[in-house]
Amino acid sequence: MLNDLRVCQAVLDALTEATVLKDDERKLIFINQKACELYGRPREELIGKEYSFFNDGDQAARQRDRDNEVLATGTKCVYEETLIDASGKRRNVLVRKTLLVLENKNYILTSIMDISLLRSSEAQIRYLARHDVLTGLPNRTALNEDLSQIAAQRMYNPEPHALILLNLNDFNYLNDTYGYQAGDAILCEFGQRLRNEVNGSGTVSRIGGDEFSIILRNNPTQETVHNLALEILIMMRQPFTLTRANPLVTLSFGIVMFGSENITAGEIMRRGNTALLEAKQRGKNVFSFYSELLDASSVSKRIMVKALAESLVKEGDLSCVYQPILRSHDEKVVCVEALARWTHGVLGAVSPVQFIALAEETGLVIQLGEIILRQACREIKDINTLNLAINVSAVQLGEANFADRIISLLNEEDFPFTRLELELTETSVMNANATSLTHLSRLRQLGVKVSLDDFGTGYSSLSLLKDISVDSVKIDRSFVQYVTEVNDTAAIVSAVSQLGNKMKLNVIAEGVENQLQKAFLISAGCSHLQGYLFSRPVTIDILLSLLDQDHKLNA
């Protein structure tokens, strides 16, 4: 049949695939070394026998059918199977069957390629594509696929579901404080805690750096979801386990209930993010359910953002008012705080509480701050006896060219550096990076003063005073309000005043509303006072009129 059996055998043995040649009675004629290893038997035992690589009855029958098909039609056959090799290891293999005609006789050439590693790699790739490497939880891709599947099945499976989007608050602060390895440990522990809380009734995913999600199945009601949310908040009261610390971590999350309505995966996520944003605005360790009212609020916000952006490039909508700051011992006005006001042609007068927060959230505060500072410099410049205080947000302080902006503007307006005072909240200073602190240092070297606003309401007020260089501290109005009524508050104000005096800082009490508060604050050592007792924020014209009264304001 074949002229040189030894050459044929050598060729077969050189192949990396298990290869056999069967005659039309399915008996083995040739077999290579790789096939012998797969069978776990020597070649001498196999030649002339009807053997199959597949011992399972169904598989063996399938092989016979494929052999018959190749012999009958001459069609090449390629397919995948699984088999157990001689060592008992399960393998994924690709089987190829081809008809050979030699000396007018039909033969079946069968080769088996081991693709176990390939299939394992593909499975690993599929796993990694849908799972977070750090926590092992499903990722955003898996979440989107699950939501799309749920949305597609709503016609014949309209049972209710719930989506919870969760966000760990101030996670960058945790990373900076404890290190990134500790941050990773917190993420892993938090993910495991969520899985324990859900307990098989849903899917927990990590969908971003500090973002997680839960899809709840099994017909959750709003009551059961509400109870789960409360349990999650109780769980968050337990400190996280680190080697040298046990930090308490806060959480915000938004919840969406959805079921039979016609809704896409993207819309479910949008509603979840709307609810999450509402929770974040309400505080920490807070959750919020989505409702159409939140959408109405979002529409209102978008309208206001558009209107504010338009007003920033239009003259007349934005203006300054000024609240005097007095020296305590003679009640002389020595400084004014510039405050932004916005009056829109359609929206009317918009509360600063609304538009300042919106400007910070959207980044418009950078342009807004520049407009207000420029206008204030022009209006106050010629009043040589007055300093100008202006608020600076964390967003502005974080700008890469923050100091350059201030220096350029002051030079353009010919406003003395020594008459400008920047008011920053202690939280924004504490969270500032090294570059931002360098900006402040550079400005102070040029004569610009720095004041810590809302002093006492942040993380670690006293330590800040020794870590950064400031000229003034402003005692927050929340302390001043109760200074004559609550002993603890009075003690705090006195302690801060004494500390400020020892450090040769100006101590400014804001929110002074009555004579009793004024008397206490002066006796406690506050060097400067500000509040409605002396003047509300006023326009430049009214301010000039007040200053004409010997720079002295009496209640």
Side-chain angles (χ1 to χ4, degrees), residues 162-189:
L163 171 68
I164 305 177
L165 296 182
L166 310 99
N167 187 215
L168 296 173
N169 296 313
D170 303 320
F171 196 73
N172 286 337
Y173 170 73
L174 290 171
N175 276 332
D176 293 341
T177 303
Y178 300 105
Y180 285 91
Q181 286 185 331
D184 288 348
I186 289 173
L187 292 173
C188 291
E189 184 175 343

Side-chain angles (χ1 to χ4, degrees), residues 92 115-128:
N92 296 94
I115 58 172
S116 300
L117 183 59
L118 174 63
R119 289 294 175 256
S120 177
S121 298
E122 290 176 345
Q124 182 71 2
I125 291 170
R126 286 195 298 271
Y127 177 86
L128 292 176

Side-chain angles (χ1 to χ4, degrees), residues 328 475-477 479-484 489-490 492-494 497-498 501 507-531 533-534:
S328 298
I475 299 175
D476 186 66
R477 66 184 65 250
F479 292 106
V480 173
Q481 183 179 4
Y482 299 107
V483 76
T484 60
T489 301
I492 291 172
V493 170
S494 297
S497 300
Q498 292 171 18
N501 290 331
V507 179
I508 307 167
E510 62 178 349
V512 184
E513 296 182 354
N514 59 56
Q515 291 288 353
L516 289 176
Q517 293 171 352
K518 170 187 167 183
F520 177 87
L521 293 165
I522 293 174
S523 66
C526 293
S527 60
H528 294 76
L529 304 172
Q530 180 183 13
L533 176 63
F534 311 103

